[in-house]
Amino acid sequence: MNNKGKLWEIEAANYLRKKRYKLLYANYYTRFGEIDLIMCNKKYICFVEVKQRDVKSPALPREYVDSIKQKKIMTAASIYIASNSTSLQPRFDVVEIYTEDNKIKSIKHLENAF
């Protein structure tokens, strides 16, 4: 992960904290895949993929979370839940960060993205 990618994940975590989410884990790695952020609120444990793209990008950030990536995140989430019991409902979210000249223009939180 490059420094810019790390910066976007920090920005996404801060954005979600303002929405009353609590950060449980950042960059959760398994041999099957990685989860950028694991956060929770009163009802859900959220496995969050953070994607950044320039506002001029021809595709939306969420389009880069393909079925292969989704499967890896779901497998990693299963491993996390197996070793960290929770009564919260799991959910898979995407946080899209739109930038222009490497400055954030907007952030969009897609709940239940997949």
Side-chain angles (χ1 to χ4, degrees):
M1 154 112 14
N2 62 33
N3 288 338
K4 279 289 183 198
K6 188 69 75 186
L7 172 68
W8 305 134
E9 289 175 7
I10 291 168
E11 291 290 342
N14 289 338
Y15 175 82
L16 291 172
R17 278 193 196 104
K18 289 176 187 165
K19 291 176 72 174
R20 300 194 180 274
Y21 285 80
K22 177 182 171 193
L23 178 65
L24 299 176
Y25 212 102
N27 302 114
Y28 180 75
Y29 288 97
T30 73
R31 65 189 190 123
F32 301 102
E34 181 245 348
I35 301 170
D36 292 335
L37 303 170
I38 301 174
M39 303 194 75
C40 68
N41 63 15
K42 290 180 181 178
K43 291 171 74 174
Y44 297 99
I45 181 165
C46 302
F47 301 95
V48 182
E49 178 68 10
V50 178
K51 287 293 180 193
Q52 172 273 331
R53 290 293 176 266
D54 188 88
V55 292
K56 296 179 189 111
S57 174
L60 298 170
R62 73 189 85 150
E63 294 179 69
Y64 293 90
V65 187
D66 62 14
S67 60
I68 294 165
K69 180 72 171 170
Q70 291 174 16
K71 193 170 189 174
K72 288 180 180 183
I73 293 169
M74 287 188 264
T75 302
S78 296
I79 292 167
Y80 180 86
I81 289 171
S83 56
N84 298 275
S85 75
T86 180
S87 60
L88 299 173
Q89 177 71 32
R91 191 177 77 197
F92 297 93
D93 296 356
V94 172
V95 171
E96 296 181 319
I97 299 180
Y98 294 90
T99 59
E100 188 171 46
D101 299 324
N102 277 325
K103 293 183 179 76
I104 294 175
K105 294 304 269 179
S106 66
I107 298 177
K108 187 183 242 181
H109 177 205
L110 305 171
E111 298 177 3
N112 250 347
F114 57 94

